[in-house]
Amino acid sequence: MLGKPVGSGAFLLARWSPFLVATAAHLLSLAAVLLIRKPFQDEQARPAERRRIGPEIAEGLRWLWRRRFLRRITLLVSGSNVIFQALALLPAFVLYEDGFSPAAVGVIAAIGGAGGACGALAGGWSTRRFGLPVLVCAALVAWAVMVPTLALTRSPWALGALSAAMSLVGGALNVAGGVYQVRITPDALQGRVNSVLQLAGSGANAVGALAGGLLLDALGASGSAGLLGAAMGVLALTALASNLPRQYRLAHPPDEAAEGRTNDRAMRSGPVTRPTTTTAPEGDKE
């Protein structure tokens, strides 16, 4: 939540300082992990034999692919990641064209990071108030409106406000999606399923960064924003046509949703023991 605003603020002080901050943060994380003495899993619950990594990765992929609702939102969010990574250079490109200083780029990034932090803090409330299917659709529609707006302004403050608004929505959606994935994934598959999702997101980021540079070089800021806004609109229409709320209800019948709310209350009141295996509802399998 704090990485982008802290990094951008450090950049304003000295261009090399974000790298120093990142190095210190990684060293602190490493020290914290090394100081953990309690095992992360029950040794008796682990399988006695060692399994090959290939079949284990395939098992995580199969489990994710068979969950229709989770698969669809993963594809939609990965598509939005491509667009956002392509947009990452656009504010800097606009400010460079208009002759603004590099510090203005850092300020815009800090404003956007602050918006993302606020969105992440509101993620739990947003999930309880609207639910994940509505959040996914609303986020894509909101982005489809805001992304083309980037082509209509050259003001650093307007660019910062748009960046903050888009990051606000993204922060809330990231929290909602992450919590949902952890809740429905069996303990034995948490690492594999999370790795598949991270790979999908990271792959999308790499493709988006490459596409963004090529688009800016070929079309300029306005043309790139317009084209990427149209792509986001296609994603929003796809989400609306997919009827995500209905897919969610098929995946989680009312009795299961009630059980999930009971587990949530139990988690807030004290530790609970999660099941080591789970079976997806029939409506969520293909």
Side-chain angles (χ1 to χ4, degrees):
M1 291 190 301
L2 299 178
K4 288 185 70 174
V6 169
S8 301
F11 179 78
L12 294 176
L13 299 176
R15 294 188 179 186
W16 51 264
S17 57
F19 302 97
L20 177 62
V21 173
T23 300
H26 280 88
L27 290 174
L28 289 174
S29 297
L30 175 62
V33 171
L34 294 177
L35 290 174
I36 296 175
R37 295 290 178 259
K38 186 175 181 179
F40 291 111
Q41 292 180 327
D42 185 357
E43 296 289 342
Q44 297 179 352
R46 294 182 180 180
E49 74 282 358
R50 294 183 61 86
R51 300 176 59 185
R52 290 182 300 171
I53 189 171
E56 290 198 347
I57 294 175
E59 184 180 2
L61 283 167
R62 285 194 302 269
W63 186 93
L64 176 61
W65 189 256
R66 290 171 181 168
R67 273 65 195 175
R68 185 183 310 167
F69 174 75
L70 183 58
R71 184 183 73 215
R72 289 187 179 182
I73 64 173
T74 298
L75 293 174
L76 289 168
V77 172
S78 296
S80 70
N81 283 349
V82 173
I83 296 172
F84 275 117
Q85 285 301 312
L87 284 171
L89 292 175
L90 191 143
F93 188 84
V94 170
L95 296 178
Y96 172 77
E97 285 186 327
D98 290 354
F100 285 92
S101 68
V105 179
V107 170
I108 289 178
I111 294 173
C118 293
L121 290 173
W125 176 86
S126 301
T127 306
R128 292 189 298 270
R129 181 68 178 83
F130 303 106
L132 180 59
V134 174
L135 277 179
V136 173
C137 293
L140 291 172
V141 170
W143 289 332
V145 173
M146 287 187 283
V147 169
T149 309
L150 292 170
L152 304 177
T153 180
R154 315 289 290 190
S155 166
W157 293 110
L159 289 172
L162 285 170
S163 177
M166 290 188 289
S167 298
L168 178 75
V169 177
L173 182 58
N174 284 340
V175 170
V179 170
Y180 174 78
Q181 179 263 311
V182 170
R183 283 187 57 190
I184 69 168
T185 305
D187 281 352
L189 293 176
Q190 286 286 349
R192 276 163 277 180
V193 172
N194 187 58
S195 296
V196 172
L197 295 174
Q198 293 292 336
L199 178 61
S202 299
N205 291 343
V207 172
L210 175 63
L214 294 175
L215 285 176
L216 286 171
D217 186 52
L219 303 178
S222 298
S224 298
L227 182 60
L228 294 173
M232 190 69 80
V234 171
L235 285 180
L237 291 175
T238 302
L240 295 173
S242 299
N243 199 351
L244 293 180
R246 179 178 179 273
Q247 297 299 329
Y248 182 85
R249 289 193 296 270
L250 289 175
H252 304 283
D255 55 343
E256 183 176 315
E259 180 183 351
R261 288 192 294 271
T262 301
N263 289 339
D264 284 346
R265 289 193 293 270
M267 290 178 70
R268 286 193 293 269
S269 61
V272 295
T273 302
R274 295 185 60 201
T276 56
T277 59
T278 187
T279 302
E282 291 301 322
D284 196 32
K285 289 184 179 179
E286 289 186 340

